[in-house]
Amino acid sequence: PVIGICGASCSGKSTLVKSLAAQFGPVVIALDDYYCVRQLKPGLSYLQVDGFEVLNGYDNWDAYNAFQWDNIVKVVTNAAQTAPLVIVEGLFTFCNADLVKLLDVGIFLQVNIDTVNTRRFARDTWLVENPKYWDCIELGFQGNHTTA
């Protein structure tokens, strides 16, 4: 089977996957491994992604169009044909129709927004100085999941 795990940034997706992987040994496909990376952005230590939205002056790494969806679907299709268990996890796991068709089970982690905010600001401390970027993340996630 192919299990899809989705939820907001810092909702516990990776933690759940690590626990399941330790117990069941699945093939794990993390959407974070499939950004549309193109080149280093001058003057910054992170990679510029082709097709990124720019919101409030920041590249939106949490945008649906920042992922290589065709490649993700191919990788999941191949894994589903060869592995007894596949787990796909990411922010937009349930937003791509072709990917959703491949899933046998879906798990959506619904976590209180205050908990998510606390976790994200603890993990990504630079957000404290750039709170408008967090607004982009929240709006992008909510917008994609209310229409999916």
Side-chain angles (χ1 to χ4, degrees), residues 6-96:
C6 187
S9 181
C10 290
S11 61
K13 299 178 300 293
S14 297
T15 301
L16 175 59
V17 169
K18 286 177 189 173
S19 178
L20 293 171
Q23 293 179 35
F24 303 107
V27 169
V28 175
I29 299 167
L31 297 188
D32 284 353
D33 293 337
Y34 294 91
Y35 280 107
C36 302
V37 176
R38 184 172 48 143
Q39 63 187 11
L40 273 175
K41 188 170 184 175
L44 298 175
S45 61
Y46 62 87
L47 295 175
Q48 174 69 42
V49 174
D50 190 22
F52 263 21
E53 298 172 6
V54 177
L55 297 171
N56 292 329
Y58 299 96
D59 289 337
N60 186 359
W61 287 79
D62 296 275
Y64 173 84
N65 65 351
F67 293 91
Q68 304 170 29
W69 289 108
D70 290 343
N71 194 24
I72 292 167
V73 170
K74 287 177 190 174
V75 169
V76 173
T77 299
N78 291 338
Q81 294 171 352
T82 59
L85 178 61
V86 177
I87 297 177
V88 182
E89 71 95 0
L91 182 65
F92 296 116
T93 302
F94 301 156
C95 294
N96 181 280

Side-chain angles (χ1 to χ4, degrees), residues 102-128:
L102 299 172
L103 304 177
D104 296 302
V105 175
I107 299 170
F108 185 85
L109 300 180
Q110 187 171 356
V111 178
N112 178 290
I113 192 65
D114 292 332
T115 301
V116 168
N117 285 341
T118 299
R119 290 175 180 173
R120 183 71 187 252
F121 279 91
R123 185 185 78 186
D124 298 334
T125 54
W126 64 271
L127 284 171
V128 173

